[in-house]
Amino acid sequence: MGEKIYIRGWRDGDHGDIKMPLVSSAVLFVTRYCQADHFNVYLVKTSEEEENDNVITVNSAIIKDLRYEFIKENDVPCLVKNCILPVTVDERTSIIRCGLCGTVRHIVQSSHTKNPGENFKDLLGFRQGSLRMCAEVSGWTKLCEIELPSSIYQLITLIRNRVIDDKEEVEIPVNLMKLEMHFEKPPKIHNDHKLKKALLVKNREQILNPESGTEFLENGCKKGSQFLIECDITLPHGLQRYRVFKNVNNTLYLKSDRDYRREKAKKEKVPRNPDRPITKPRTRTDEEKAAQKRAKKKRRKDRETAKYLEEISLEREKINANSNNLEKEFQELSVNGSSDIQQELLEPHANEEIRNCFKTISTLDVEFIHLYSEGLEITVADLILFVYCYFLMQSLEFSMGSLGQYLPHIESWFDHMMTLPRLQEAAKSCGFNSNKILDSLPTITNDIQFIKPCLPVTLEDEMELNRRNKTSVRAIKPELTEALNLIQNGCIDVILGEHPRQEQVEIDWSSLPTSAHPQDGEVPKKRIERKCQQLENLVTAVVEIAKDGDVIVDFCSGGGHLGIVIAYLLPKCTIYLIENKEESIERARSRLDNLKLTNVVIYQCNLGYFHGHFSIGVCLHACGVATDMVLQQCLDNNAAFVICPCCYGNIVRTHQINYPRSSKFRNAGLSYKDSLTLGHAADQTEFNIALAGQGCYCANLVDTDRAELAREQNYTVSLCSLKPLSCTPKNNLLIGTPN
């Protein structure tokens, strides 16, 4: 009993190096970095036609000291064959995780559990969110997991062909430029104001300390009235870096609100005129006094804020005007050592001047450096990207050449990564040629000319690599009217059907064990009744369709509310629960342990990584494009489906799904934007709102598009509603069976 990793890889000869995809090498590198020697690693040789698919040659040292075994594809367990490698199997919990991101995240978590003192969990980033979201909804995960491995391998192939065929130019892949543009932008930081404030408090104490202050100030430089200091904060796996810009000689400092009010009061204080008669004011009520006091306080605060913001704007303009030159000079100082500028800084009066300056410093003077791919701290994403870039550098014989002028931020990030002691140790243990990387010797003899790709205008929005993709399309009335006119002109009608049980969809919940009831799955009490009603509609439809021996897949299973009830009612069927969220998987595992069900298998993975055969696919409220991915999985397997869609406004084109879904809608002239417009309008179905009727109609149109896609593949499809309608505003139900 233990944990296993299955990846693609095979020996290049009897005792030579190993051939494997970039993704497999990234998994092994994370395994070595996290000292995860408690895993059993199985390197699988796939079919011959797939051997040359994105395959690189890796030093055999990468598996040294690991418990590994080379096996053939036929020796892989059947449950593992249902997934795309890499895969991890935890035999203690019977959970199968697949996909690059899911696999490396589990390696990190498991290693942290075994060795908590090593702080491996820090590699999962803020709130453990690094690479947590699936590639279908996260542009960042998609880039790291899918786009970059393919693009970098293609670039490596072009470089090899360039050396052999002596081609003139090699074009840089668009996805590599995405990563470069990502590094150009400031890091996205949660609650950065709070972090900067804490740093300022720490720096003030350090600067004002006579013993440590001089040493601290020696790390900075001064030019004229500008002062720049760059500081590092050491972390278990890397460091944080930030800069402080300050105008030293200018008296227009960024004061606190309290300091500004005090100075203003002193300037505006006017002595009273003794000749002015004293009049007794009218007696005011307490309410009038309070109201007048609030109004006066608001006017004063507005004036002070306006003045304060004006000063901030002036100060920042001056700082930004000189920051680039100052940063360049700072870098020169770090290279050349002592200089006249540094000597000026070491003078006692200069230090005292800067100390006085730092008494008035504000958070606006602090700038965090985008040092790592996901912000301020190193994460598992940096480890994966490091492996990709290493093999790219290896193909260039560790000399960027002309590629460096187009990818300066990636080159700078890579150089910094190689300065981290832990990463150096892991690279050395994996057989990476770290000496050449550190020396950066330009050993390549044939200089390759790289050219920057022409980025299409349509990619501008996609360059923003967020953890969650969001469409900017909204249901604007003219655009919605245009889409509805196309529906009308194309003679597209909404055809509603019936549930297989018609009105008899109730379940006797009292006959089910407590762990099979939604009340055991952390559902709020006020939602339990409606949750039960939703489940009843889907469970009874599945029971009507299913036969003994069927494999039923509950996609986007969450805590297992739907799949566990089906497994309990159909003990002769096998149920697969597929979910990406780790917390939901743990809740489902706990409920299954209580029920002692043996006909359930849990897969933690993205929908696209499961490719096993099944008979029926079900999902309750799969968000946006996930509904279409479930439907496509069912159509590809010629399987029946029972699907309740949700979040129509979150449908978005992916590398697997496009819109409109059916030929009937495309032939009517509807575009991708029209589908997004209808989807956004379909989300306006909340009860008792003015647009509810329009929203229900648009939801029916989106689901009709899905139903037509299935009908085009010889399915019988019924578009009906959950009963009662009040159980949820998203109450459409698609039921389809192959003919």
Side-chain angles (χ1 to χ4, degrees), residues 80-85 578 605-614 633 637:
V80 175
K81 287 183 179 179
N82 289 334
C83 307
I84 297 176
L85 301 182
I578 298 182
C605 65
N606 304 345
L607 296 178
Y609 291 144
F610 177 83
H611 60 182
H613 179 73
F614 59 95
Q633 284 263 27
N637 279 274

Side-chain angles (χ1 to χ4, degrees), residues 464-534:
E464 187 66 30
L465 296 172
N466 294 323
R467 285 187 174 179
R468 180 183 291 275
N469 288 338
K470 294 182 180 179
T471 175
S472 59
V473 175
R474 294 292 180 263
I476 302 173
K477 189 173 181 179
E479 296 177 352
L480 181 58
T481 301
E482 182 180 350
L484 293 177
N485 287 338
L486 291 174
I487 293 290
Q488 184 177 1
N489 296 336
C491 300
I492 298 176
D493 297 322
V494 174
I495 302 175
L496 300 179
E498 290 288 339
H499 190 282
R501 289 269 186 96
Q502 295 185 353
E503 301 295 328
Q504 306 300 320
V505 297
E506 294 82 5
I507 292 178
D508 183 11
W509 291 99
S510 61
S511 64
L512 271 61
T514 303
S515 294
H517 197 283
Q519 66 184 8
D520 189 56
E522 300 183 9
V523 177
K525 291 183 179 180
K526 62 181 181 180
R527 290 187 53 219
I528 288 178
E529 181 181 2
R530 290 188 288 117
K531 186 69 174 180
C532 290
Q533 292 170 344
Q534 297 167 23

Side-chain angles (χ1 to χ4, degrees), residues 277-417:
I278 300 176
T279 58
K280 187 176 181 179
R282 180 181 66 86
T283 303
R284 296 171 296 170
T285 62
D286 293 341
E287 291 78 4
E288 290 176 332
K289 291 180 181 179
Q292 186 176 8
K293 187 176 181 180
R294 288 194 299 268
K296 184 178 180 180
K297 184 177 180 180
K298 184 178 183 302
R299 289 194 299 269
R300 183 176 67 249
K301 187 174 182 179
D302 290 344
R303 289 194 302 268
E304 293 174 353
T305 302
K307 181 66 175 178
Y308 183 54
L309 292 177
E310 182 180 356
E311 291 185 358
I312 288 176
S313 179
L314 292 172
E315 184 75 9
R316 297 306 293 171
E317 288 178 4
K318 294 178 182 179
I319 292 174
N320 291 333
N322 299 308
S323 61
N324 293 333
N325 294 333
L326 190 58
E327 181 177 357
K328 184 178 179 181
E329 292 169 3
F330 182 81
Q331 293 174 353
E332 292 175 355
L333 289 173
S334 63
V335 175
N336 300 327
S338 177
S339 71
D340 295 338
I341 299 176
Q342 282 183 316
Q343 293 301 324
E344 177 187 356
L345 181 61
L346 294 178
E347 295 177 3
H349 71 274
N351 285 347
E352 187 63 28
E353 187 180 20
I354 293 171
R355 285 192 176 98
N356 293 333
C357 168
F358 264 76
K359 293 178 182 179
T360 60
I361 202 169
S362 74
T363 56
L364 294 175
D365 301 310
V366 180
E367 176 190 15
F368 284 115
I369 308 301
H370 196 164
L371 207 56
Y372 301 105
S373 62
E374 292 190 294
L376 299 181
E377 301 179 7
I378 186 173
T379 64
V380 68
D382 292 285
L383 302 183
I384 293 173
L385 294 175
F386 171 79
V387 176
Y388 298 163
C389 292
Y390 168 80
F391 286 105
L392 175 60
M393 290 283 289
Q394 186 185 59
S395 68
L396 293 168
E397 299 183 15
F398 304 102
S399 174
M400 291 286 282
S402 61
L403 184 61
Q405 63 179 320
Y406 298 112
L407 306 176
H409 293 86
I410 293 179
E411 184 178 16
S412 176
W413 163 83
F414 185 81
D415 291 341
H416 168 72
M417 290 289 290

